[in-house]
Amino acid sequence: MNRFATTMKMEELPEILEQYQVPGTADAEEEVLTMCNLGEGVYEKGMKAGRLQGQRDSLDRTGRLIKATTHAGRLQEFLDSADGGKRITALFEEFDIK
């Protein structure tokens, strides 16, 4: 079992360090805090990159639907469905845009 899970509380750290015979010095605790902060920073950066990629994918997908409905002479149908819901989902499916 991963003892250093994301749900671990900092109060548990001294006990866990002692269990693995890691000296519980202030320096060791500070290094662990630094590693935790670094890990959180990497995680946040990855999440932000994922959100940005998701936004790009969504814009690309929507752009392809606009192009498809325009070529089919059905742009107004796209505009009417732009509030989301089942109508726009049906258009994505009909024009096979994934």
Side-chain angles (χ1 to χ4, degrees), residues 13-31:
L13 179 62
E15 179 185 323
I16 292 170
L17 290 175
E18 187 177 307
Q19 180 181 353
Y20 290 99
Q21 300 175 346
V22 175
T25 66
D27 288 341
E29 289 184 27
E30 187 175 326
E31 287 181 32

Side-chain angles (χ1 to χ4, degrees), residues 24-74:
T25 66
D27 288 341
E29 289 184 27
E30 187 175 326
E31 287 181 32
V32 169
L33 284 172
T34 300
M35 289 188 301
C36 289
N37 288 338
L38 177 61
E40 287 176 20
V42 169
Y43 174 80
E44 288 299 322
K45 186 175 180 180
M47 291 297 293
K48 182 178 179 181
R51 285 191 298 272
L52 289 173
Q53 185 61 49
Q55 289 171 349
R56 285 187 205 109
D57 292 347
S58 180
L59 286 172
D60 176 62
R61 186 173 181 239
T62 302
R64 288 185 287 136
L65 184 58
I66 291 170
K67 187 175 181 179
T69 54
T70 299
H71 286 301
R74 296 170 56 191

Side-chain angles (χ1 to χ4, degrees), residues 1-8 20:
M1 181 169 134
N2 183 5
R3 294 297 308 256
F4 290 97
T6 57
T7 58
M8 186 185 90
Y20 290 99

Side-chain angles (χ1 to χ4, degrees), residues 60-94:
D60 176 62
R61 186 173 181 239
T62 302
R64 288 185 287 136
L65 184 58
I66 291 170
K67 187 175 181 179
T69 54
T70 299
H71 286 301
R74 296 170 56 191
L75 181 60
Q76 188 60 49
E77 191 175 342
F78 165 78
L79 295 173
D80 292 342
S81 70
D83 62 347
K86 294 179 182 178
R87 291 177 6 179
I88 198 161
T89 300
L91 285 174
F92 279 117
E93 289 175 5
E94 180 181 342

